[in-house]
Amino acid sequence: MLLSGESAVVLILFRQTWVAMIETWASSRTFSHCFLVFPLAAYLIWIRRERLASLRPVPYYPGLIAVAFSGLVWLAGNVGEVRVVQEFAFIGLLISLAWTILGSTVVRLLAFPLAFMVFAVPFGVSLIGPLQDGTAWFAVHALTLTRIPAVLEDRVLSVPTGSWTVAEACSGIRYLFSSIVLGVIYASLVYRSRRRQAAFIAASFLVPILANGLRAYGIVLIAYYTNNRFARGVDHIVYGWVFFTAIQLALFAAGWHWNEISRARGSRPAGHIVSPATSNEGWPVRRLVIASVLANAVLISVALSAERLLPSSELPKESPLLTIQVSPPWQPATMYDTSWIPNLSGANRRFLQSYSAGSRRVDLYSATYSSGSEVELVHGYNQSSDPKIWSFGKSRIETAQLSDGESIAVRKIQMESGSSLRTVWMWYWIGGECTASAARVKYLQAKARLLNKAGDAIAIAIASDEGLQDASAEESLRDFLTHASFLRH
């Protein structure tokens, strides 16, 4: 009961964190499985209810160190506006509070369900790119080994019957997350040995990665031998899920060979049961109250510190104004396509404009954020464009020069949608400093917040199409920047 009260305190004080988590679950199919994490954790606790009933909670004061550490990590994530750090720390607070209030003996029994709650954090977006590359590499080598001519350029796989783009949806990230979550539950229910649990969880991580490569290879193979009559369009998605389901069932069947359920029924593992607590033993009420008071003091201190580090009310709440001036031969033009613009949320102001010089054309987009904004500018869901429309190639940092001679770093991103190929350059201005590094953006925002200075942020992207002008997209972008002045005021 006391632990429920402490959990309620965490939910109230850190409500913006768990609300953001739920919003991510709802908005991204990649993390829709997170809705099941807490119910499944509750189930894992419930099946341990008999053993729990035999244990007596004894507060563990050193657990307050874990509470304080989790609070400091959350505070650091809040200052740097790193959502995933805040979310991991939030789960850490719940686990460390359980340790402090219930004690080591009880938490040792609940270690698996408590650790399972980590899967409620929507993390792992950074794995999408490497998974795409791994899938493309596996598919092209498998095709080559089976004597099918295949060429891989960036993430576009070409065979004689057509080309295939290994898009974000083909990365297998949803397969991977689903497999790991199911694997953890399966390992908890079927095995008692920590070694076997770890081995099965590792297999649940590795098998879907290999299976996704086989899936991609198989789909291209089917399309090749049927002259694209099968495994195109929706077919390849259906085939993929059928294949994943079969692989998952095969993994469970293989893992069942080493199950320990029958042995566990005959004799329960030593060390899991202690002598039942009787009413004569009494409850350590005084220690429970002290642990609760101290934990609340730590939680409230963290929350108050976060409030004190909010941008001062004296700082301007309006986002900075960005003015772009261009010199001939470049001039403003009508923007006809907005499908490419970066998918940035929470901006206070946005600006869209196209510019032309003869047959050359450059589109520009900017999003500005004020000092008082608590929106995370750089995270996995603020993308260079809508992934439902565009597929992305590898990105890299390049150097460009502005009209005043200043050199800036830009992130070059290649995007493809059907027959359209577009090059995007993107960078940020944070408190007057220019950067293309996401880590640098975080650092500059945290620094401005700690020093209570204006941390105005501007994200800028310019884009140009390949093959539709008398110059390459990169040449058009470089020439445009040498004729453009960006005035921030």
Side-chain angles (χ1 to χ4, degrees):
M1 198 69 179
L2 187 60
L3 180 60
S4 298
E6 289 299 322
S7 298
V9 171
V10 174
L11 292 175
I12 293 171
L13 293 178
F14 305 96
R15 56 190 176 278
Q16 71 271 30
T17 300
W18 61 264
V19 167
M21 289 171 65
I22 294 175
E23 288 175 349
T24 302
W25 303 347
S27 62
S28 173
R29 289 188 298 172
T30 301
F31 298 109
S32 56
H33 67 274
C34 292
F35 280 107
L36 299 175
V37 170
F38 285 110
L40 287 172
Y43 172 73
L44 292 176
I45 293 173
W46 182 79
I47 62 177
R48 290 164 169 78
R49 64 193 182 282
E50 292 183 5
R51 284 178 283 171
L52 278 174
S54 68
L55 301 179
R56 183 168 64 101
V58 178
Y60 183 66
Y61 292 148
L64 290 167
I65 298 174
V67 175
F69 177 77
S70 298
L72 290 174
V73 172
W74 181 89
L75 188 61
N78 182 261
V79 170
E81 296 180 353
V82 186
R83 186 182 297 178
V84 70
V85 172
Q86 297 177 59
E87 292 166 348
F88 272 118
F90 173 79
I91 299 298
L93 283 170
L94 294 176
I95 295 173
S96 55
L97 277 173
W99 189 21
T100 302
I101 302 299
L102 301 179
S104 298
T105 302
V106 175
V107 168
R108 192 176 297 115
L109 176 61
L110 299 179
F112 219 108
L114 290 175
F116 183 74
M117 293 194 302
V118 170
F119 290 109
V121 177
F123 68 97
V125 175
S126 59
L127 293 175
I128 293 177
L131 286 173
Q132 286 175 271
D133 295 334
T135 300
W137 180 89
F138 184 97
V140 73
H141 281 78
L143 289 167
T144 302
L145 287 174
T146 50
R147 300 185 181 279
I148 296 176
V151 177
L152 180 64
E153 185 176 357
D154 206 351
R155 290 171 182 161
V156 178
L157 195 160
S158 300
V159 294
T161 56
S163 297
W164 298 76
T165 299
V166 183
E168 183 176 315
C170 303
S171 66
I173 190 75
R174 282 190 286 164
Y175 298 159
L176 179 60
F177 286 159
S178 298
S179 177
I180 293 174
V181 170
L182 290 173
V184 170
I185 293 293
Y186 187 89
S188 175
L189 297 176
V190 174
Y191 304 119
R192 296 294 175 264
S193 163
R194 297 296 187 193
R195 181 177 298 177
R196 292 189 182 186
Q197 288 175 343
F200 190 84
I201 293 171
S204 298
F205 177 80
L206 296 174
V207 168
I209 295 177
L210 176 61
N212 193 57
L214 288 171
R215 178 193 64 85
Y217 162 68
I219 287 171
V220 176
L221 194 67
I222 293 171
Y224 176 79
Y225 281 118
T226 62
N227 198 25
N228 293 327
R229 290 195 305 273
F230 297 102
R232 276 282 186 181
V234 178
D235 282 357
H236 87 274
I237 298 176
V238 174
Y239 296 168
W241 276 108
V242 170
F243 181 70
F244 168 71
T245 303
I247 290 293
Q248 197 66 43
L249 291 175
L251 183 61
F252 287 163
W256 186 257
H257 180 73
W258 292 279
N259 85 85
E260 298 174 304
I261 293 179
S262 57
R263 183 168 62 85
R265 286 173 179 169
S267 61
R268 289 181 176 175
H272 278 228
I273 300 294
V274 297
S275 300
T278 65
S279 58
N280 294 331
E281 293 179 6
W283 291 80
V285 177
R286 183 170 176 272
R287 294 186 65 183
L288 284 169
V289 171
I290 292 174
S292 177
V293 170
L294 292 175
N296 282 334
V298 172
L299 296 174
I300 293 172
S301 297
V302 171
L304 290 176
S305 297
E307 289 291 330
R308 289 179 62 86
L309 289 172
L310 285 174
S312 171
S313 59
E314 297 178 1
L315 293 176
K317 298 300 181 183
E318 289 296 322
S319 55
L321 181 63
L322 180 70
T323 303
I324 298 97
Q325 295 179 351
V326 295
S327 60
W330 290 93
Q331 58 185 354
T334 302
M335 176 174 281
Y336 64 91
D337 180 15
T338 59
S339 67
W340 71 275
I341 64 174
N343 186 23
L344 303 179
S345 60
N348 301 95
R349 292 180 179 174
R350 302 176 192 274
F351 177 76
L352 290 168
Q353 182 66 63
S354 289
Y355 301 88
S356 63
S359 66
R360 291 175 294 172
R361 184 183 182 90
V362 169
D363 298 327
L364 181 144
Y365 168 86
S366 71
T368 58
Y369 297 77
S370 69
S371 301
S373 173
E374 295 183 46
V375 178
E376 187 176 11
L377 173 59
V378 179
H379 64 86
Y381 302 100
N382 273 355
Q383 296 179 313
S384 53
S385 191
D386 187 346
K388 296 178 182 178
I389 302 175
W390 296 88
S391 59
F392 311 115
K394 294 180 180 179
S395 66
R396 62 177 183 268
I397 302 294
E398 293 196 355
T399 302
Q401 194 170 49
L402 300 180
S403 58
D404 59 3
E406 178 186 1
S407 293
I408 62 170
V410 299
R411 180 168 293 279
K412 179 183 177 181
I413 305 162
Q414 295 288 136
M415 305 193 310
E416 182 180 11
S417 179
S419 60
S420 299
L421 183 62
R422 172 161 285 223
T423 299
V424 178
W425 285 0
M426 191 169 182
W427 69 97
Y428 305 90
W429 262 303
I430 310 292
E433 182 174 330
C434 179
T435 181
S437 166
R440 187 68 179 173
V441 169
K442 298 292 187 184
Y443 167 75
L444 292 173
Q445 287 183 313
K447 179 181 176 182
R449 191 167 182 179
L450 287 171
L451 298 178
N452 202 28
K453 293 182 178 180
D456 300 328
I458 305 175
I460 301 176
I462 57 175
S464 187
D465 289 320
E466 293 284 1
L468 300 180
Q469 47 193 337
D470 60 5
S472 69
E474 185 162 340
E475 290 172 339
S476 295
L477 294 174
R478 289 192 182 278
D479 187 66
F480 171 77
L481 284 183
T482 59
H483 290 84
S485 299
F486 296 86
L487 306 177
R488 307 177 296 281
H489 49 83

